[in-house]
Amino acid sequence: MKWRFERPQRKFEVFLLDVSKQVFSSALVHFINLASAVYLDRSLYANGCVWYFVLYLTDTLCILPLCFVMLEGADYYFRKHGPKRLISGEYFTNSGDIDYETWGLQAGIWLTVVMVGKSIQLVIQMNTRKYMYALGKECLRL
């Protein structure tokens, strides 16, 4: 739906490549959140569902904007210093063909940004675990 209404409209292949990066990072975040919730549940004798909720909430409110800023910073750097092929969403060779190796490099950069964001989140979670857990319980009314 988004692709249909965007202007200027990307080539459909480019749209799919962009979406695939989001799918991979969403799956990565989901599994990290599941593993983290299980770890926090077992190590703190707390409800893993509350932890998953807290992780999801902080992902959405804090980590996603942080990842956006980090990716914009990386794009700024690559625009200024190169290589230009690492600018997010730029997949074409000089001849106009899609370069899937470039997509792979960009996907790697995005997944690295996500992992850095998740690492920051987990450090914060561990240092504020009592407050975060209480917030999660209150939000879920458990």
Side-chain angles (χ1 to χ4, degrees):
M1 185 79 155
K2 180 185 183 314
W3 176 76
R4 183 73 74 195
F5 293 105
E6 69 183 12
R7 297 292 180 254
Q9 192 173 48
R10 293 172 279 182
K11 288 185 176 183
F12 189 66
E13 292 169 302
V14 171
F15 175 74
L16 290 177
L17 291 172
D18 289 343
V19 168
S20 67
K21 287 194 283 189
Q22 296 303 312
V23 169
F24 289 131
S25 65
S26 294
L28 176 67
V29 166
H30 173 69
F31 288 114
I32 290 171
N33 283 349
L34 281 176
S36 300
V38 168
Y39 170 77
L40 291 165
D41 174 47
R42 290 183 179 160
S43 64
L44 302 174
Y45 305 105
N47 186 331
C49 294
V50 173
W51 279 118
Y52 187 87
F53 171 76
V54 168
L55 291 164
Y56 185 84
L57 184 67
T58 55
D59 272 340
T60 304
L61 297 177
C62 305
I63 303 307
L64 183 62
L66 175 64
C67 288
F68 174 77
V69 169
M70 288 191 291
L71 185 64
E72 286 295 310
D75 280 351
Y76 175 80
Y77 178 85
F78 295 135
R79 277 189 187 90
K80 195 166 185 136
H81 304 288
K84 304 280 189 224
R85 70 189 283 209
L86 296 182
I87 298 169
S88 186
E90 301 292 330
Y91 307 120
F92 293 101
T93 63
N94 291 336
S95 63
D97 297 323
I98 291 179
D99 182 354
Y100 292 100
E101 180 182 341
T102 295
W103 172 87
L105 292 169
Q106 291 179 22
I109 291 168
W110 173 239
L111 293 175
T112 300
V113 164
V114 169
M115 291 295 292
V116 168
K118 292 301 293 176
S119 298
I120 292 168
Q121 177 192 32
L122 292 175
V123 168
I124 292 169
Q125 293 293 121
M126 291 306 296
N127 289 305
T128 60
R129 61 188 171 269
K130 290 179 184 175
Y131 305 107
M132 292 302 223
Y133 187 75
L135 173 69
K137 277 181 70 172
E138 184 61 31
C139 287
L140 296 173
R141 302 279 178 180
L142 293 176

